[in-house]
Amino acid sequence: MLPILHLNGYKISNPTVLARIEHEELEQFLRGCGWTPYFVEGDEPETMHELMAGTLDEAIESIRQIQGNARSKNDTTRPRWPMIVLRSPKGWTGPKVVDGLPVEGTFRAHQVPLLVDAEHPDHLGQLESWMKITSGRTVR
């Protein structure tokens, strides 16, 4: 198992404790808890996908080395297992603004970002664009 701590800045409407502390302090805290944290941070989807893929490869290789060392050398010392810390904006890749109100990076990302009903017919186009982008297709 490879734990992933997703820090996107918010619980319902306020920043989380771990999202508030500086990178170095968070890394020290997680190391103190026995983990080796690998950080994936950003807000550009393509860059983040590549970074996450590379980080997953590194973490899996670390797990294999720990397991191999334990099996081949009968090493029973407590290893420092890898974990991933993913930092991305709240509501990332969703609609950034709906009805003139910001969604990404705000408490609104915890709610239904797009209400699609008879009273909000224009939201249907936003929803369609969002789904096409998240499924990997470009919107024209």
Side-chain angles (χ1 to χ4, degrees):
M1 176 170 62
L2 177 62
I4 299 175
L5 172 61
H6 187 194
L7 295 178
N8 56 17
Y10 289 89
K11 51 188 190 316
I12 298 301
S13 63
N14 292 301
T16 61
V17 173
L18 295 179
R20 289 180 183 203
I21 62 178
E22 297 175 3
H23 180 97
E24 184 179 343
E25 185 180 356
L26 179 60
E27 184 173 5
Q28 290 171 355
F29 172 75
L30 295 171
R31 285 187 176 283
C33 291
W35 300 100
T36 297
Y38 291 79
F39 289 83
V40 176
E41 302 171 297
D43 61 5
E44 292 295 325
E46 283 189 40
T47 304
M48 288 286 281
H49 288 238
E50 290 176 20
L51 183 56
M52 181 61 113
T55 302
L56 284 168
D57 289 343
E58 286 182 57
I60 290 168
E61 182 55 34
S62 175
I63 291 169
R64 288 183 177 143
Q65 287 177 359
I66 291 168
Q67 290 173 333
N69 194 41
R71 291 173 182 147
S72 66
K73 298 178 182 175
N74 203 24
D75 184 358
T76 59
T77 59
R78 179 176 168 246
R80 187 176 299 277
W81 292 97
M83 69 170 294
I84 293 176
V85 178
L86 172 64
R87 282 193 195 256
S88 67
K90 180 59 119 188
W92 184 48
T93 74
K96 296 190 184 316
V97 177
V98 175
D99 296 332
L101 298 171
V103 175
E104 184 179 273
T106 73
F107 68 92
R108 290 181 191 91
H110 264 286
Q111 302 167 5
V112 176
L114 287 170
L115 183 58
V116 178
D117 61 10
E119 295 176 27
H120 301 89
D122 55 317
H123 288 186
L124 184 58
Q126 284 183 284
L127 178 62
E128 182 180 16
S129 294
W130 178 20
M131 294 296 103
K132 286 180 179 177
I133 289 170
T134 58
S135 70
R137 295 187 299 164
T138 57
V139 179
R140 295 175 196 244

PDB file of all heavy atoms in Angstrom, residues 71-91:
ATOM      1  N   ARG A  71      13.939  -9.431   2.427  1.00  0.00           N
ATOM      2  CA  ARG A  71      13.867 -10.830   2.020  1.00  0.00           C
ATOM      3  C   ARG A  71      15.241 -11.455   1.819  1.00  0.00           C
ATOM      4  O   ARG A  71      15.487 -12.580   2.244  1.00  0.00           O
ATOM      5  CB  ARG A  71      13.030 -10.959   0.750  1.00  0.00           C
ATOM      6  CG  ARG A  71      11.563 -10.667   0.986  1.00  0.00           C
ATOM      7  CD  ARG A  71      10.770 -10.620  -0.295  1.00  0.00           C
ATOM      8  NE  ARG A  71       9.371 -10.291  -0.009  1.00  0.00           N
ATOM      9  CZ  ARG A  71       8.592  -9.599  -0.796  1.00  0.00           C
ATOM     10  NH1 ARG A  71       9.040  -9.165  -1.966  1.00  0.00           N
ATOM     11  NH2 ARG A  71       7.346  -9.342  -0.449  1.00  0.00           N
ATOM     12  N   SER A  72      16.121 -10.736   1.147  1.00  0.00           N
ATOM     13  CA  SER A  72      17.419 -11.329   0.813  1.00  0.00           C
ATOM     14  C   SER A  72      18.425 -11.239   1.956  1.00  0.00           C
ATOM     15  O   SER A  72      19.301 -12.088   2.081  1.00  0.00           O
ATOM     16  CB  SER A  72      17.998 -10.680  -0.448  1.00  0.00           C
ATOM     17  OG  SER A  72      18.313  -9.322  -0.194  1.00  0.00           O
ATOM     18  N   LYS A  73      18.315 -10.212   2.798  1.00  0.00           N
ATOM     19  CA  LYS A  73      19.284 -10.023   3.882  1.00  0.00           C
ATOM     20  C   LYS A  73      18.675 -10.266   5.254  1.00  0.00           C
ATOM     21  O   LYS A  73      19.328 -10.029   6.274  1.00  0.00           O
ATOM     22  CB  LYS A  73      19.864  -8.614   3.815  1.00  0.00           C
ATOM     23  CG  LYS A  73      20.624  -8.349   2.529  1.00  0.00           C
ATOM     24  CD  LYS A  73      21.137  -6.938   2.486  1.00  0.00           C
ATOM     25  CE  LYS A  73      21.855  -6.712   1.152  1.00  0.00           C
ATOM     26  NZ  LYS A  73      22.267  -5.337   0.993  1.00  0.00           N
ATOM     27  N   ASN A  74      17.411 -10.689   5.267  1.00  0.00           N
ATOM     28  CA  ASN A  74      16.698 -10.933   6.519  1.00  0.00           C
ATOM     29  C   ASN A  74      16.763  -9.712   7.445  1.00  0.00           C
ATOM     30  O   ASN A  74      16.900  -9.833   8.647  1.00  0.00           O
ATOM     31  CB  ASN A  74      17.239 -12.189   7.215  1.00  0.00           C
ATOM     32  CG  ASN A  74      16.213 -12.786   8.155  1.00  0.00           C
ATOM     33  OD1 ASN A  74      15.015 -12.568   7.986  1.00  0.00           O
ATOM     34  ND2 ASN A  74      16.693 -13.534   9.142  1.00  0.00           N
ATOM     35  N   ASP A  75      16.682  -8.544   6.836  1.00  0.00           N
ATOM     36  CA  ASP A  75      16.758  -7.280   7.573  1.00  0.00           C
ATOM     37  C   ASP A  75      15.430  -7.028   8.273  1.00  0.00           C
ATOM     38  O   ASP A  75      14.392  -6.879   7.631  1.00  0.00           O
ATOM     39  CB  ASP A  75      17.070  -6.139   6.604  1.00  0.00           C
ATOM     40  CG  ASP A  75      17.264  -4.808   7.308  1.00  0.00           C
ATOM     41  OD1 ASP A  75      17.126  -4.739   8.549  1.00  0.00           O
ATOM     42  OD2 ASP A  75      17.563  -3.819   6.605  1.00  0.00           O
ATOM     43  N   THR A  76      15.453  -6.971   9.587  1.00  0.00           N
ATOM     44  CA  THR A  76      14.232  -6.765  10.357  1.00  0.00           C
ATOM     45  C   THR A  76      14.139  -5.357  10.947  1.00  0.00           C
ATOM     46  O   THR A  76      13.249  -5.091  11.754  1.00  0.00           O
ATOM     47  CB  THR A  76      14.120  -7.801  11.488  1.00  0.00           C
ATOM     48  OG1 THR A  76      15.260  -7.672  12.345  1.00  0.00           O
ATOM     49  CG2 THR A  76      14.009  -9.213  10.937  1.00  0.00           C
ATOM     50  N   THR A  77      15.056  -4.472  10.560  1.00  0.00           N
ATOM     51  CA  THR A  77      14.961  -3.102  11.061  1.00  0.00           C
ATOM     52  C   THR A  77      13.736  -2.414  10.449  1.00  0.00           C
ATOM     53  O   THR A  77      13.295  -2.761   9.350  1.00  0.00           O
ATOM     54  CB  THR A  77      16.219  -2.271  10.715  1.00  0.00           C
ATOM     55  OG1 THR A  77      16.382  -2.245   9.303  1.00  0.00           O
ATOM     56  CG2 THR A  77      17.457  -2.839  11.369  1.00  0.00           C
ATOM     57  N   ARG A  78      13.220  -1.468  11.187  1.00  0.00           N
ATOM     58  CA  ARG A  78      12.013  -0.761  10.728  1.00  0.00           C
ATOM     59  C   ARG A  78      12.371   0.146   9.551  1.00  0.00           C
ATOM     60  O   ARG A  78      13.162   1.066   9.699  1.00  0.00           O
ATOM     61  CB  ARG A  78      11.448   0.077  11.867  1.00  0.00           C
ATOM     62  CG  ARG A  78      10.216   0.853  11.494  1.00  0.00           C
ATOM     63  CD  ARG A  78       9.662   1.589  12.726  1.00  0.00           C
ATOM     64  NE  ARG A  78       8.662   2.535  12.305  1.00  0.00           N
ATOM     65  CZ  ARG A  78       8.786   3.853  12.408  1.00  0.00           C
ATOM     66  NH1 ARG A  78       9.872   4.376  12.911  1.00  0.00           N
ATOM     67  NH2 ARG A  78       7.819   4.638  12.010  1.00  0.00           N
ATOM     68  N   PRO A  79      11.777  -0.103   8.399  1.00  0.00           N
ATOM     69  CA  PRO A  79      12.077   0.752   7.246  1.00  0.00           C
ATOM     70  C   PRO A  79      11.274   2.054   7.296  1.00  0.00           C
ATOM     71  O   PRO A  79      10.266   2.156   7.978  1.00  0.00           O
ATOM     72  CB  PRO A  79      11.644  -0.097   6.053  1.00  0.00           C
ATOM     73  CG  PRO A  79      10.533  -0.926   6.589  1.00  0.00           C
ATOM     74  CD  PRO A  79      10.878  -1.207   8.045  1.00  0.00           C
ATOM     75  N   ARG A  80      11.732   3.012   6.553  1.00  0.00           N
ATOM     76  CA  ARG A  80      10.994   4.262   6.371  1.00  0.00           C
ATOM     77  C   ARG A  80      10.276   4.127   5.023  1.00  0.00           C
ATOM     78  O   ARG A  80      10.872   4.294   3.971  1.00  0.00           O
ATOM     79  CB  ARG A  80      11.958   5.445   6.366  1.00  0.00           C
ATOM     80  CG  ARG A  80      11.259   6.780   6.353  1.00  0.00           C
ATOM     81  CD  ARG A  80      12.253   7.932   6.452  1.00  0.00           C
ATOM     82  NE  ARG A  80      13.027   7.930   7.661  1.00  0.00           N
ATOM     83  CZ  ARG A  80      12.631   8.433   8.836  1.00  0.00           C
ATOM     84  NH1 ARG A  80      11.440   8.973   8.925  1.00  0.00           N
ATOM     85  NH2 ARG A  80      13.409   8.394   9.880  1.00  0.00           N
ATOM     86  N   TRP A  81       8.986   3.786   5.077  1.00  0.00           N
ATOM     87  CA  TRP A  81       8.212   3.528   3.872  1.00  0.00           C
ATOM     88  C   TRP A  81       7.900   4.834   3.137  1.00  0.00           C
ATOM     89  O   TRP A  81       7.726   5.880   3.758  1.00  0.00           O
ATOM     90  CB  TRP A  81       6.906   2.815   4.217  1.00  0.00           C
ATOM     91  CG  TRP A  81       7.121   1.429   4.718  1.00  0.00           C
ATOM     92  CD1 TRP A  81       7.176   1.033   6.017  1.00  0.00           C
ATOM     93  CD2 TRP A  81       7.343   0.260   3.933  1.00  0.00           C
ATOM     94  NE1 TRP A  81       7.399  -0.314   6.087  1.00  0.00           N
ATOM     95  CE2 TRP A  81       7.510  -0.822   4.824  1.00  0.00           C
ATOM     96  CE3 TRP A  81       7.413   0.015   2.572  1.00  0.00           C
ATOM     97  CZ2 TRP A  81       7.738  -2.118   4.398  1.00  0.00           C
ATOM     98  CZ3 TRP A  81       7.642  -1.274   2.138  1.00  0.00           C
ATOM     99  CH2 TRP A  81       7.801  -2.331   3.043  1.00  0.00           C
ATOM    100  N   PRO A  82       7.768   4.767   1.816  1.00  0.00           N
ATOM    101  CA  PRO A  82       7.431   5.970   1.063  1.00  0.00           C
ATOM    102  C   PRO A  82       5.948   6.324   1.189  1.00  0.00           C
ATOM    103  O   PRO A  82       5.120   5.465   1.468  1.00  0.00           O
ATOM    104  CB  PRO A  82       7.762   5.593  -0.381  1.00  0.00           C
ATOM    105  CG  PRO A  82       7.596   4.121  -0.431  1.00  0.00           C
ATOM    106  CD  PRO A  82       8.007   3.614   0.932  1.00  0.00           C
ATOM    107  N   MET A  83       5.675   7.578   1.006  1.00  0.00           N
ATOM    108  CA  MET A  83       4.307   8.078   0.904  1.00  0.00           C
ATOM    109  C   MET A  83       4.339   9.267  -0.044  1.00  0.00           C
ATOM    110  O   MET A  83       5.396   9.848  -0.278  1.00  0.00           O
ATOM    111  CB  MET A  83       3.743   8.499   2.261  1.00  0.00           C
ATOM    112  CG  MET A  83       4.398   9.733   2.841  1.00  0.00           C
ATOM    113  SD  MET A  83       3.542  10.400   4.283  1.00  0.00           S
ATOM    114  CE  MET A  83       1.996  10.925   3.578  1.00  0.00           C
ATOM    115  N   ILE A  84       3.211   9.614  -0.612  1.00  0.00           N
ATOM    116  CA  ILE A  84       3.139  10.742  -1.527  1.00  0.00           C
ATOM    117  C   ILE A  84       2.289  11.836  -0.898  1.00  0.00           C
ATOM    118  O   ILE A  84       1.229  11.567  -0.324  1.00  0.00           O
ATOM    119  CB  ILE A  84       2.548  10.314  -2.884  1.00  0.00           C
ATOM    120  CG1 ILE A  84       3.520   9.353  -3.579  1.00  0.00           C
ATOM    121  CG2 ILE A  84       2.249  11.528  -3.764  1.00  0.00           C
ATOM    122  CD1 ILE A  84       3.014   8.782  -4.877  1.00  0.00           C
ATOM    123  N   VAL A  85       2.792  13.054  -0.989  1.00  0.00           N
ATOM    124  CA  VAL A  85       2.029  14.230  -0.583  1.00  0.00           C
ATOM    125  C   VAL A  85       1.657  14.959  -1.873  1.00  0.00           C
ATOM    126  O   VAL A  85       2.529  15.439  -2.597  1.00  0.00           O
ATOM    127  CB  VAL A  85       2.845  15.158   0.339  1.00  0.00           C
ATOM    128  CG1 VAL A  85       2.026  16.392   0.707  1.00  0.00           C
ATOM    129  CG2 VAL A  85       3.287  14.412   1.593  1.00  0.00           C
ATOM    130  N   LEU A  86       0.383  14.986  -2.176  1.00  0.00           N
ATOM    131  CA  LEU A  86      -0.132  15.634  -3.379  1.00  0.00           C
ATOM    132  C   LEU A  86      -0.726  16.979  -2.993  1.00  0.00           C
ATOM    133  O   LEU A  86      -1.664  17.038  -2.203  1.00  0.00           O
ATOM    134  CB  LEU A  86      -1.199  14.751  -4.034  1.00  0.00           C
ATOM    135  CG  LEU A  86      -1.980  15.345  -5.199  1.00  0.00           C
ATOM    136  CD1 LEU A  86      -1.062  15.648  -6.379  1.00  0.00           C
ATOM    137  CD2 LEU A  86      -3.095  14.396  -5.624  1.00  0.00           C
ATOM    138  N   ARG A  87      -0.140  18.044  -3.513  1.00  0.00           N
ATOM    139  CA  ARG A  87      -0.670  19.396  -3.262  1.00  0.00           C
ATOM    140  C   ARG A  87      -1.245  19.937  -4.563  1.00  0.00           C
ATOM    141  O   ARG A  87      -0.527  20.085  -5.550  1.00  0.00           O
ATOM    142  CB  ARG A  87       0.419  20.343  -2.788  1.00  0.00           C
ATOM    143  CG  ARG A  87       0.807  20.187  -1.348  1.00  0.00           C
ATOM    144  CD  ARG A  87       1.651  21.388  -0.935  1.00  0.00           C
ATOM    145  NE  ARG A  87       2.340  21.173   0.304  1.00  0.00           N
ATOM    146  CZ  ARG A  87       1.963  21.706   1.465  1.00  0.00           C
ATOM    147  NH1 ARG A  87       0.897  22.476   1.519  1.00  0.00           N
ATOM    148  NH2 ARG A  87       2.668  21.471   2.549  1.00  0.00           N
ATOM    149  N   SER A  88      -2.542  20.184  -4.547  1.00  0.00           N
ATOM    150  CA  SER A  88      -3.217  20.753  -5.715  1.00  0.00           C
ATOM    151  C   SER A  88      -4.317  21.682  -5.212  1.00  0.00           C
ATOM    152  O   SER A  88      -4.746  21.564  -4.065  1.00  0.00           O
ATOM    153  CB  SER A  88      -3.800  19.640  -6.589  1.00  0.00           C
ATOM    154  OG  SER A  88      -4.843  18.988  -5.902  1.00  0.00           O
ATOM    155  N   PRO A  89      -4.775  22.588  -6.052  1.00  0.00           N
ATOM    156  CA  PRO A  89      -5.852  23.481  -5.615  1.00  0.00           C
ATOM    157  C   PRO A  89      -7.155  22.728  -5.360  1.00  0.00           C
ATOM    158  O   PRO A  89      -7.449  21.742  -6.028  1.00  0.00           O
ATOM    159  CB  PRO A  89      -6.036  24.436  -6.798  1.00  0.00           C
ATOM    160  CG  PRO A  89      -4.812  24.301  -7.626  1.00  0.00           C
ATOM    161  CD  PRO A  89      -4.300  22.914  -7.397  1.00  0.00           C
ATOM    162  N   LYS A  90      -7.923  23.196  -4.406  1.00  0.00           N
ATOM    163  CA  LYS A  90      -9.250  22.639  -4.137  1.00  0.00           C
ATOM    164  C   LYS A  90     -10.109  22.842  -5.376  1.00  0.00           C
ATOM    165  O   LYS A  90     -10.120  23.913  -5.966  1.00  0.00           O
ATOM    166  CB  LYS A  90      -9.875  23.349  -2.940  1.00  0.00           C
ATOM    167  CG  LYS A  90     -11.243  22.838  -2.577  1.00  0.00           C
ATOM    168  CD  LYS A  90     -11.190  21.398  -2.268  1.00  0.00           C
ATOM    169  CE  LYS A  90     -11.599  21.052  -0.890  1.00  0.00           C
ATOM    170  NZ  LYS A  90     -11.342  19.658  -0.613  1.00  0.00           N
ATOM    171  N   GLY A  91     -10.792  21.816  -5.825  1.00  0.00           N
ATOM    172  CA  GLY A  91     -11.631  21.919  -7.009  1.00  0.00           C
ATOM    173  C   GLY A  91     -10.825  21.922  -8.301  1.00  0.00           C
ATOM    174  O   GLY A  91     -11.321  22.294  -9.357  1.00  0.00           O
TER     175      GLY A  91
END
